């Protein structure tokens, strides 16, 4: 990992790249007590440089921790620090002061190792004493240590297994411990950057024998003649310090479901030892041996950081056992190689995608038809019921939302995506319909807060609103202020994804006919990650492209409480079969196409095959294939006329299937139909009898296909709440 050169250390913590933010959160959540999120708060309290600028207490964070379920306390802390304006530079200094390696997070540059303290070149010590060799070094990443030993201090040095701390401690030394010691210090894989300390020559001297200088004790025959004296006060011996030496620490594991594992610690001490295993900072009940076994791992609950607390126990004068000293082993990480585990199972997943490109008074766009198609492909692949509509007017958008809400219920996931022109006024986003006049006022456009209000009335489990529009101020003036109280975000289930930041434009690549947002968002939709992580990764994807992030930066707002809800969560209709089937029937009605049929011209012997396809719910592809030419040659068939209220999308295309010729015509604005769709099918041919060209036409009634039966063209009723509805019921904090 190298430092992210694009980081602005004066920027807010909220602007951290997604990958850095997630890694910092995970480290602070899983690190042992001396380097976790609580320790970070402690450092903030004691740091003279930083604490004066940011007000947060350990008590405040503990209250958060008690109220958090399946959420990250560290994530909450980082969000709070960002909201107080903490800079990335201050966070880096705070993490370093807490002992967290900022280089591994990409927050600091590589620094070579500097040895600031070396052990003495020669150490004299008596047998039975404790040898302590200590070094200190600095660098980024933080230095790692490995001690080596050679009996003669000159030839081949051997690695001392388990001796990986900056202090080497050997209790009760013997002559076998005499020799040369050196420590290898490294902080990267480059052997050229490894440092070795000078050799410390340790000389073990025999333990001195003390000779008493007192007179010899009297013989037994003289004891009777000795005067009686009271017994002297017992002499208290100086208590010997018994240090715990950890010979081997538990090691990290990477396992699969069904595996078993064993964590072990080996320690030595002159006193009895007691053990307590700890997972993620909490004691494991009953795990009091030097080894801890886990059998038949079946879920992700076993993942985490494991350590063992080793205690040395001694007896008091009153026969009570008390702790003399304690050490904590190095942390060992247990990671499971398992696919994403669904924590949630929605009853259904539905999406409404609207793309406006052909405007009456605004500049036409090229990206919306392709963008909603690409968005739909990603959502369909993860089992969303998708409704796709192109070029809608204001009442058509509002009625589409009303009808779409019939698919929403409790524990249903909702995605709404709009791609087209838009603007923002007083904190509210507006979608510009195709029939809007030049410089439209807000009341001539669609208020996104009202869209969300309609969704929230059905109490879905998750709402993901993606607004791929500009966010500059509108050109027109509104006759009334926007009513923001309709956002209804108090349910803790809404994630807003704006294609760009406030005051900026959303861009499309005209050569690719594709918007920048979908370029990065569509591939992420199918990743099995929580909704908050999805939008964080979206920001990170943009940041990796200097060409685009300098022009357009997505903005994310979320109040989702259950952040691990993922768009890829598997649907379960357990106990909801009837409601699920009802939604299935309703959604299928939006996709109803005319039935395939044959059309004959009996006098000529011509047989045409009519086939209908649709991808968008208001565009109908009509295929006319000449199945039998009869008495004609050079026969071509096509749609020559259709209901005047709709129009043709693109040109009529010719194709060839199994050697037979046909045409494809795409009819758009199907939602505008007030009566059945009627088309004229014409054939132009050369008759074999005289070689002259003729034409013939038949009229065909195709009924009300796709969404035409919804009558979206009518004035929307129920889209906006009645004014008499109490405002207090809808007021909410901004998300």
């Amino acid at each position: 990992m190298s430092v992210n050169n694009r980081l602005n250390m004066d920027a807010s913590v909220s602007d951290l790249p997604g990958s850095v933010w997630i890694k910092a959160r995970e480290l602070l959540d899983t690190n042992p007590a001396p380097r976790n999120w609580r320790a970070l708060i402690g450092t903030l309290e004691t740091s003279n440089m930083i604490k004066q600028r940011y007000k947060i207490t350990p008590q405040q964070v503990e209250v958060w921790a008690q109220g958090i379920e399946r959420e990250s306390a560290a994530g909450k802390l980082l969000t709070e620090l960002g909201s107080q304006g903490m800079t990335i530079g201050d966070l880096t200094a705070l993490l370093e002061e807490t002992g967290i390696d900022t280089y591994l997070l990409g927050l600091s540059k590589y620094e070579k190792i500097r040895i600031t303290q070396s052990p003495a070149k020669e150490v004299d010590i008596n047998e039975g004493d404790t040898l302590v060799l200590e070094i200190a070094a600095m660098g980024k990443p933080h230095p790692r240590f490995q001690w080596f030993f050679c009996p003669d201090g000159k030839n081949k040095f051997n690695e001392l297994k388990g001796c990986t701390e900056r202090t080497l401690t050997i209790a009760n030394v013997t002559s076998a411990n005499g020799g040369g010691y050196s420590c290898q210090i490294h902080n990267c894989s480059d052997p050229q950057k490894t440092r070795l300390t000078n050799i410390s020559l340790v000389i073990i001297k025999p333990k001195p024998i003390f000779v008493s200088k007192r007179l010899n004790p009297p013989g037994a025959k003289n004891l009777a003649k000795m005067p009686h004296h009271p017994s002297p006060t017992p002499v208290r011996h100086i208590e010997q310090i018994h240090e715990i030496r950890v010979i081997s620490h538990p090691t990290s594991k990477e396992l699969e479901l069904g595996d078993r594992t064993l964590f072990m610690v080996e320690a030595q001490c002159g006193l009895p030892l007691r053990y307590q295993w700890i997972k993620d900072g909490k004691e494991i009940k009953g795990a009091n041996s030097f080894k801890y076994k886990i059998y038949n791992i079946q879920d992700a609950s076993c993942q985490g950081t494991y350590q063992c607390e080793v205690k040395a126990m001694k007896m008091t004068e009153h026969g009570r056992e008390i702790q003399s000293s304690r050490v904590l082993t190095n942390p060992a990480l247990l990671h499971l190689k398992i696919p994403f585990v669904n924590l949630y199972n929605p009853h259904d997943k539905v999406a409404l995608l609207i793309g406006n490109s052909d405007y009456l008074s605004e500049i036409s766009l090229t990206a919306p038809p392709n963008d909603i198609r690409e968005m739909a492909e990603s959502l369909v692949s993860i089992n969303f019921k998708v409704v796709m509509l192109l070029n809608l007017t204001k009442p058509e958008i509002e009625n589409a939302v009303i009808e779409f809400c019939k698919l929403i219920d409790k524990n249903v996931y909702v995605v709404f995506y709009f791609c087209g022109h838009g603007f923002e006024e007083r904190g509210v986003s507006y979608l510009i319909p195709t029939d809007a006049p030049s410089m439209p006022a807000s009341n001539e456009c669609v208020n996104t807060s009202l869209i969300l209000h309609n969704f929230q009335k059905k109490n879905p489990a998750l709402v993901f609103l993606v607004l791929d529009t500009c966010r500059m101020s509108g050109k027109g003036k509104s006759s009334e202020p926007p009513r923001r109280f309709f956002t209804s975000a108090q349910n803790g289930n809404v994630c807003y994804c704006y294609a760009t930041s406030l005051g900026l434009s959303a861009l499309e690549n005209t050569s690719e006919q594709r918007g920048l947002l979908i370029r990065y968002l569509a591939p992420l939709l199918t990743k099995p990650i929580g909704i908050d992580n999805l939008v964080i990764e979206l920001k990170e994807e943009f940041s990796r492209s200097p060409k685009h992030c300098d022009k357009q930066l997505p903005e994310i707002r979320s109040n989702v409480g259950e952040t691990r809800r993922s768009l890829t969560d598997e649907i379960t209709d357990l106990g909801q079969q009837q409601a699920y089937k009802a939604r299935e029937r309703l959604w299928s009605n939006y996709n109803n196409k005319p039935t395939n049929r044959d059309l004959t011209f009996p006098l000529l012997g011509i047989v045409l095959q009519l086939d209908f396809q649709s991808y968008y719910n208001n565009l109908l592809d009509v295929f006319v294939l000449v199945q039998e030419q009869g008495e004609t040659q050079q026969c071509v068939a096509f749609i020559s006329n259709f209901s005047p209220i709709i129009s043709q999308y693109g040109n009529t295309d010719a194709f060839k299937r199994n050697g037979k010729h046909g045409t494809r015509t795409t009819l758009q604005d199907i939602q505008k139909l007030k009566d059945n769709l009627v088309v004229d099918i014409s054939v132009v041919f050369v008759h074999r009898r005289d070689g002259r060209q003729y034409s013939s036409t038949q009229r065909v009634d195709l009924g009300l296909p796709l969404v035409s039966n919804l009558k979206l063209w009518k004035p929307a009723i129920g889209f906006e709440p009645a004014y008499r509805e109490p405002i207090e019921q809808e007021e909410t904090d901004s998300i």
Side-chain angles (χ1 to χ4, degrees):
M1 165 95 45
S2 60
V3 66
N4 188 331
N5 294 321
R6 302 191 66 255
L7 280 180
N8 178 6
M9 289 298 172
D10 294 326
S12 168
V13 169
S14 303
D15 295 326
L16 274 172
S19 59
V20 177
W21 196 92
I22 292 171
K23 199 162 190 176
R25 181 192 66 187
E26 292 176 348
L27 278 176
L28 291 170
D29 275 334
T30 59
N31 272 354
R35 296 188 303 279
N36 62 5
W37 61 274
R38 289 186 174 89
L40 192 72
I41 291 296
T43 305
L44 185 62
E45 283 289 293
T46 58
S47 174
N48 294 325
M49 180 185 71
I50 298 176
K51 76 170 183 178
Q52 298 173 356
R53 282 179 277 173
Y54 310 105
K55 305 298 180 184
I56 190 168
T57 64
Q59 293 78 14
Q60 180 182 353
V61 181
E62 290 297 338
V63 170
W64 289 343
Q66 294 173 10
I68 288 177
E69 182 180 0
R70 301 192 188 97
E71 242 190 288
S72 163
K76 190 93 171 177
L77 170 60
L78 290 173
T79 302
E80 175 65 20
L81 292 175
S83 68
Q84 294 189 18
M86 174 174 276
T87 65
I88 296 175
D90 281 351
L91 176 64
T92 302
L94 190 63
L95 291 169
E96 280 289 344
E97 199 171 340
T98 310
I100 296 171
D101 200 336
T102 56
Y103 176 86
L104 299 178
L105 294 172
L107 293 175
S108 56
K109 297 181 180 179
Y110 176 83
E111 292 181 7
K112 65 180 182 180
I113 297 168
R114 290 179 290 116
I115 299 176
T116 57
Q117 178 184 341
S118 297
K121 292 184 178 180
E122 187 172 311
V123 178
D124 293 343
I125 190 172
N126 295 326
E127 285 185 334
D129 289 346
T130 299
L131 171 64
V132 178
L133 299 177
E134 189 171 4
I135 57 176
M138 300 176 65
K140 291 180 182 177
H142 291 172
R144 306 291 188 265
F145 306 94
Q146 177 60 61
W147 287 90
F148 290 81
F149 170 70
C150 176
D152 61 11
K154 297 178 181 179
N155 297 314
K156 183 178 179 181
F157 278 74
N158 296 314
E159 179 181 306
L160 293 174
K161 292 186 178 180
C163 298
T164 56
E165 303 293 334
R166 70 183 191 89
T167 301
L168 176 66
T169 304
I170 303 177
N172 299 318
V173 297
T174 66
S175 58
N177 299 121
Y181 291 83
S182 180
C183 186
Q184 182 188 66
I185 310 171
H186 58 94
N187 66 349
C188 68
S189 59
D190 186 354
Q192 300 296 325
K193 297 180 180 179
T194 299
R195 298 288 304 277
L196 284 171
T197 62
N198 295 329
I199 297 174
S200 293
L201 186 60
V202 176
I203 301 172
I204 309 297
K205 299 179 179 179
K207 190 170 185 178
I209 301 174
F210 294 96
V211 180
S212 175
K213 296 182 180 180
R214 294 179 296 174
L215 296 174
N216 291 332
K221 61 180 181 179
N222 299 323
L223 281 177
K225 300 179 181 179
M226 292 187 64
H228 175 73
H229 296 286
S231 299
T233 303
V235 178
R236 292 193 176 184
H237 298 284
I238 298 176
E239 182 179 4
Q240 184 179 0
I241 299 176
H242 292 273
E243 294 188 9
I244 303 171
R245 180 191 176 197
V246 178
I247 305 300
S248 63
H249 296 263
T251 57
S252 296
K253 319 275 186 181
E254 187 173 37
L255 306 172
E256 297 180 352
L257 290 178
D259 286 348
R260 63 175 66 185
T261 190
L262 172 67
F263 289 112
M264 291 185 62
V265 60
E266 183 181 358
Q268 292 181 351
C269 184
L271 293 173
L273 295 177
R274 301 289 183 269
Y275 304 89
Q276 175 61 61
W277 286 92
I278 299 168
K279 177 181 180 290
D280 297 334
K282 296 181 180 180
E283 293 185 356
I284 304 174
K285 188 175 181 181
N288 305 119
S289 174
F290 68 93
K291 56 186 177 181
Y292 177 63
K293 298 179 180 179
I294 306 176
Y295 298 97
N296 193 20
I297 297 172
Q298 291 299 316
D299 55 55
S301 62
C302 292
Q303 288 192 125
T305 304
Y306 290 80
Q307 290 177 280
C308 187
E309 182 184 43
V310 185
K311 301 178 183 179
M313 311 303 292
K314 65 178 181 179
M315 301 295 293
T316 66
E317 296 177 354
H318 304 289
R320 187 165 62 91
E321 190 178 56
I322 62 172
Q323 177 180 307
S324 172
S325 59
R326 61 182 287 274
V327 296
L328 199 63
T329 65
N330 294 338
L333 181 65
L334 174 58
H335 174 69
L336 293 181
K337 296 185 291 185
I338 56 175
F340 178 79
V341 177
N342 282 330
L343 297 175
Y344 305 96
N345 293 106
H347 292 153
D348 215 338
K349 300 188 290 188
V350 296
L352 175 59
L353 315 181
I354 299 175
N356 279 0
S357 57
D358 298 334
Y359 281 89
L360 179 68
S361 303
E362 299 285 341
I363 298 174
S364 295
L365 302 172
T366 59
N370 296 326
D371 284 356
I372 68 169
R373 185 166 187 144
E374 189 170 353
M375 185 90 167
E377 288 172 354
S378 293
L379 293 172
V380 168
S381 71
I382 51 176
N383 297 320
F384 268 80
K385 293 180 174 67
V386 177
V387 180
M388 300 168 58
L389 299 168
L390 283 179
N391 297 320
L392 301 188
T393 64
K394 184 173 187 287
E396 289 169 356
I397 294 175
E398 293 174 347
N399 280 315
V401 170
I402 293 171
E403 292 294 331
F404 177 73
C405 285
K406 296 176 182 178
L407 298 175
I408 304 175
D409 206 342
K410 293 181 180 179
N411 200 28
V412 170
Y413 290 2
V414 177
V415 172
F416 175 80
Y417 172 70
F418 180 85
C419 181
H421 286 302
F423 62 90
E424 185 155 327
E425 190 171 290
R426 302 183 191 180
V428 178
S429 292
Y430 291 89
L431 314 179
I432 299 180
T434 56
D435 62 338
S438 178
M439 295 189 297
S442 60
N443 56 357
E444 296 170 313
C445 301
V446 180
N447 186 330
T448 57
S449 299
L450 290 172
I451 294 176
L452 177 58
H453 167 75
N454 280 273
F455 293 164
Q456 292 289 54
K457 286 192 299 185
K458 306 301 289 289
N459 195 24
L462 180 67
V463 180
F464 186 36
L465 292 172
V466 186
L467 304 180
D468 199 350
T469 68
C470 298
R471 295 185 64 198
M472 296 179 290
S473 299
K475 300 175 184 178
K477 292 186 178 179
S478 300
S479 59
E480 59 181 21
R483 297 191 299 281
R484 297 182 62 191
F485 58 85
F486 290 128
T487 50
S488 302
Q490 67 269 21
N491 294 352
N493 62 350
V494 182
C495 181
Y496 263 108
C497 175
Y498 296 93
T500 190
S501 299
L502 184 62
L504 298 179
S505 299
L507 306 177
E508 61 178 21
N509 188 325
T510 53
S511 62
E512 296 182 2
Q513 297 186 353
R514 186 186 191 196
L516 293 188
L517 178 68
I518 289 301
R519 175 192 182 107
Y520 298 103
L521 176 60
L524 293 174
L525 296 175
T526 58
K527 293 186 67 173
I529 54 178
I531 188 68
D532 277 12
N533 286 343
L534 184 150
V535 292
I536 287 172
E537 286 201 21
L538 172 64
K539 292 171 67 176
E540 176 68 11
E541 287 294 327
F542 260 86
S543 72
R544 293 192 184 103
S545 175
K547 176 182 177 182
H548 294 152
C549 70
D550 291 341
K551 300 176 182 179
Q552 179 177 331
L553 278 175
E555 183 177 330
I556 312 301
R557 299 181 189 178
S558 173
N559 74 346
V560 176
E562 297 169 328
T563 58
R564 298 188 186 182
R565 285 193 181 273
S566 170
L567 297 180
T568 61
D569 289 342
E570 293 184 6
I571 297 172
T572 175
D573 62 353
L574 187 63
Q576 294 286 324
Q577 291 92 341
Q578 187 173 354
Y580 181 84
K581 290 178 180 178
R583 281 192 298 272
E584 188 80 25
R585 287 193 298 270
L586 187 60
W587 175 69
S588 297
N589 287 336
Y590 304 159
N591 300 281
N592 275 343
K593 302 186 295 290
T595 55
N596 295 348
R597 64 195 71 183
D598 289 339
L599 185 64
T600 62
F601 293 76
L603 296 178
L604 301 169
I606 297 174
V607 178
L608 304 180
Q609 184 183 75
L610 302 187
D611 186 12
F612 306 92
Q613 300 293 331
S614 69
Y615 195 86
Y616 305 93
N617 293 85
N618 62 337
L619 269 69
L620 181 67
D621 289 329
V622 183
F623 295 84
V624 183
L625 182 70
V626 180
Q627 191 74 12
E628 299 289 344
Q629 288 190 188
E631 298 299 320
T632 71
Q633 56 188 3
Q634 299 178 11
C635 182
V636 178
F638 54 90
I639 292 179
S640 57
N641 198 11
F642 43 80
S643 299
I645 201 167
I646 66 173
S647 59
Q648 183 172 338
Y649 183 87
N651 299 318
T652 297
D653 298 323
F655 67 90
K656 194 172 184 180
R657 182 190 301 167
N658 298 327
K660 299 175 181 180
H661 294 274
T663 58
R664 184 193 70 173
T665 304
T666 302
L667 303 177
Q668 64 177 346
D669 300 323
I670 298 297
Q671 78 280 359
K672 299 183 185 301
L673 286 170
K674 297 181 180 180
D675 299 304
N676 287 2
L677 173 60
V678 177
V679 299
D680 288 342
I681 307 295
S682 296
V683 290
V684 177
F685 57 92
V686 174
H687 204 289
R688 291 179 179 174
R689 180 183 57 201
D690 55 14
R692 298 176 62 181
Q693 181 173 296
Y694 298 90
S695 66
S696 181
T697 300
Q698 287 194 35
R699 181 158 289 182
V700 180
D701 187 338
L702 301 180
L704 290 171
L706 305 178
V707 295
S708 59
N709 59 350
L710 300 180
K711 309 295 183 184
L712 300 183
W713 46 268
K714 289 184 176 181
I717 299 175
F719 178 74
E720 186 171 340
Y723 286 102
R724 66 177 181 272
E725 186 172 339
I727 290 178
E728 298 82 61
Q729 293 182 3
E730 301 296 341
E731 285 184 342
T732 179
D733 295 333
S734 171
I735 63 168

